[in-house]
Amino acid sequence: MASETPLSDMRFLTVAEVATIMRVSKMTVYRLVHSGELEAIRVGRSFRVPEHAVNQYLRAAFVGTG
């Protein structure tokens, strides 16, 4: 796992930022986090989602039309 990005270089997004990027509600993001479909860490009473996790989720969910 030496190729992983150091935590100091990772960008973390709030649930509201993820919801804006994905154009869904904050509740949808919370459901994804609680179900384990979207990686997140807990900071106090809130969650932070690594930017790479959002990108991975969106790539995996992409559906081609042709």
Side-chain angles (χ1 to χ4, degrees):
M1 300 209 187
S3 64
E4 287 187 16
T5 306
L7 287 176
S8 60
D9 294 340
M10 289 179 67
R11 182 162 184 247
F12 291 94
L13 304 171
T14 65
V15 168
E17 290 171 329
V18 174
T20 300
I21 290 167
M22 295 175 68
R23 295 189 177 162
V24 297
S25 70
K26 290 192 297 185
M27 185 53 66
T28 299
V29 177
Y30 281 117
R31 285 187 191 116
L32 291 171
V33 168
H34 287 292
S35 72
E37 292 182 66
L38 186 61
E39 179 185 344
I41 62 168
R42 191 165 194 136
V43 179
R45 294 180 61 193
S46 61
F47 289 97
R48 295 294 183 268
V49 180
E51 188 174 36
H52 75 84
V54 176
N55 294 333
Q56 279 180 332
Y57 179 83
L58 291 174
R59 278 192 201 98
F62 185 81
V63 176
T65 59

